[in-house]
Amino acid sequence: MKKFFSCLICICLMLLLCPSVGAAEDVTSVASREDLERIAERPSGSYELTADIDMGAEDWQPIPFSGRLNGNGHTIYNLTVRAPGADGAETYDGNGKKYDTALGGLFSTVTGAEISDLHLKNAVVCVETDRHCFLGAFAGCAADSVFTNCTADCRNRLTVSSVNAGVGGMTGFSLDCEFDSCGVDAELVFTDVNTETPCESFLGGMYACGYGNVKSCAVRIHGFAEVYGYAHNGGVIGMFRLPQRLKKSFAVRDTAVDAEISFFEIAPSRRAYCDPLIGENLAGACHLYNNRVQNYQKNEFRTPVRLSPEQCEAPQYSEEITPPTCTEWGYTTYTCPVCGYFYRDRYTPAAHDYTEMRIEPTRTKDGSVTYTCAVCHDSYTEILPYIWAERVELTPETLNLPFLGQAQLSAAVFPKNVAEPGVTYSSADASAVTVSPDGIVTAFKKGTVVITCKSADERVKSVCVVTVTSSAWEWFCNGFRKIG
Ligand SMILES: [Zn+2]
Ligand SMILES: [Zn+2]
C-alpha cells in the first residue's frame, strides 16, 4: 500500500512538472516547396498541408521522414526526382540476402510515419544508378508506416546495373507498412543495363518488394521491365517476402487492379514471375481476399527487346497546352508523332476566370467585392468594412516658439489601411497661433494655445500644446539688442 501511494505521488509530481503531458502536439503548416524542404530539419515532427504545392521545374532531393503528415486532401504536383536521397536503407532479395540500398521518391526513407489524405500528381521519379536502388512516388523505402487515403499519379523509371533493385508506385520497398484506401496510377519502367550479372528485379503498383498490408486500394499500372536476371512483376506487389517468421498475418484485400505489364527475363533458370496481384508471393505468406482484377495484360518476351512506354529511341515530342478549367487541372501533353506515345506534364491547378466588381465602403455602409467567373458564373462576395481611424499620432506634442516662429507638425493615422487617411488641424485661438491645412504652425501672441489634429473621419484626435515665448514688443527689442 505504501508503495502504491509513493507511486501515485511520483505520477502527480511528474504531471505537475511536465505541462506538456496531455497537451496537443504542435502541427506545422506546409504550403510551399520551401516548407517541405524544412521538414528535413525536423523529420519526426507533425505537419499538415494547407495548400496544393507546385514543386516547379527544379529537381527534388529526397529526404527522410519519420513523423506525421496530413495532406488535408491537398496535392503535391510536378515533383521531379532524378537522384536518390543522401540516406539509404537495408533491403533484401528473395533469398534474404541483404543489400545497402539507395532510395528515391518524395521521401528517401519513411520510418514509423503516418501519412494521410495526401495526393501526388505528376510525380516523376527517374533514377539511373549502379547502386542497389528502390524507387516509389512517396518513398524509396517505407518501414512501420501507415498510408491512408493517399494517391500517387506517377511515372517512375529505374535504370540499373546493380543486383537488388525495384520500382513501385507508392513505395519501392515496404517493411511492415499499411496501405489503406490508397490509389495508384503509375507508369513504371525497370531497365537493367547489366547483361552479365543476374539481378533481382521488382516492380509493383503499391510496392515493389517487401511486406505489408494493402486494403481497399485501387491500382492502375503500365509496367515495363527489361531484366537480365529474375523478374518479379505484380500489379499490386512485385514480391511479397517476410524477412523472417512472423506471427502477424498479411493480406491484400478489397483492392481493384488494372495492370498491363511488358517484360523479358533472361536468366539461368527462368521463373518470370508476373501476376495482376503479387508477382511472387513467397510461401503464400500474403493472403488475398476479395480483390478485383478489372484488366490484366501480360506481354512476355523470350528475347531481349526494348521495353518502354515510348517506342522510339529518341522521340521528338510535340507539345500541346491544355489550360485549366474551373474544375479540372491544366497540363501540357507531349506526344511522339512517330509512335503516338504521349504523356502529360507541367500540371497547373484548376482555376476560375474571375472578374471583380467592387463597391467602396462608406461611413454608413460596408462595401463589397463580388467575384464572378466568366465561364461558369460561380460567384462569391467578400465584405469590405469601412475602416475607422483608431489613433492619430501627432509630433511634436509640445512646441515653444517666439513671436512669428514657425514649425511643422506631422500626423500619422492608424490603422494604416484606414478608409480616410487625411487629417484636419484647428487652433483653439487663431489670433494667437495659426495652423495651416498641412500643419504649419505660426506664433503671433505670447501665451499657450492648443492645436488639435483630427482624423478625416473625425473619430480620433491628438493635440500639440504651443507655447509662444515672446510678445511682438519683446521680439522687437530682442532684435535691436542683437543688432546693437
Ligand atoms: Zn515515338
Ligand atoms: Zn468557373
Side-chain angles (χ1 to χ4, degrees), residues 144-373:
D144 305 313
S145 297
V146 180
F147 297 83
T148 314
N149 290 321
C150 293
T151 63
D153 163 19
C154 57
R155 284 178 282 127
N156 301 341
R157 195 177 278 234
L158 179 58
T159 304
V160 282
S161 53
S162 58
V163 173
N164 206 49
V167 59
M170 290 288 291
T171 74
F173 218 89
S174 163
L175 297 163
D176 205 358
C177 292
E178 302 277 336
F179 300 88
D180 190 349
S181 308
C182 293
V184 169
D185 188 348
E187 186 183 274
L188 303 176
V189 184
F190 182 100
T191 310
D192 176 15
V193 293
N194 181 348
T195 58
E196 303 296 321
T197 315
C199 73
E200 298 273 348
S201 155
F202 306 96
L203 182 150
M206 295 307 287
Y207 59 91
C209 187
Y211 65 110
N213 283 308
V214 177
K215 187 182 138 203
S216 306
C217 293
V219 186
R220 183 172 168 273
I221 70 158
H222 209 182
F224 301 85
E226 297 178 20
V227 183
Y228 297 94
Y230 299 95
H232 309 75
N233 307 311
V236 181
I237 302 166
M239 180 178 82
F240 185 95
R241 189 191 194 282
L242 296 171
Q244 67 272 328
R245 277 187 184 283
L246 283 184
K247 279 270 157 59
K248 219 168 149 181
S249 78
F250 290 89
V252 174
R253 63 172 75 228
D254 303 312
T255 289
V257 187
D258 175 340
E260 275 184 51
I261 300 169
S262 303
F263 76 105
F264 68 74
E265 179 186 284
I266 308 297
S269 55
R270 278 179 53 78
R271 292 183 188 132
Y273 293 109
C274 191
D275 186 275
L277 293 168
I278 304 178
E280 185 185 13
N281 186 358
L282 237 113
C286 187
H287 302 285
L288 301 172
Y289 302 110
N290 199 30
N291 301 298
R292 296 182 307 287
V293 178
Q294 293 164 330
N295 173 47
Y296 176 52
Q297 194 181 321
K298 179 172 97 167
N299 307 310
E300 188 183 345
F301 298 85
R302 298 290 172 138
T303 52
V305 287
R306 187 191 145 72
L307 291 175
S308 60
E310 74 284 3
Q311 302 299 303
C312 306
E313 200 70 53
Q316 297 292 312
Y317 291 109
S318 70
E319 291 181 29
E320 193 195 350
I321 295 172
T322 303
T325 67
C326 298
T327 52
E328 303 294 323
W329 292 81
Y331 48 81
T332 304
T333 306
Y334 293 83
T335 308
C336 172
V338 181
C339 64
Y341 168 71
F342 70 91
Y343 65 94
R344 289 168 177 175
D345 203 348
R346 297 166 68 178
Y347 276 73
T348 49
H352 293 282
D353 180 12
Y354 286 122
T355 51
E356 231 180 271
M357 226 236 325
R358 195 178 173 91
I359 298 167
E360 293 301 333
T362 65
R363 288 186 194 178
T364 51
K365 206 173 174 212
D366 284 344
S368 63
V369 191
T370 302
Y371 299 89
T372 307
C373 175

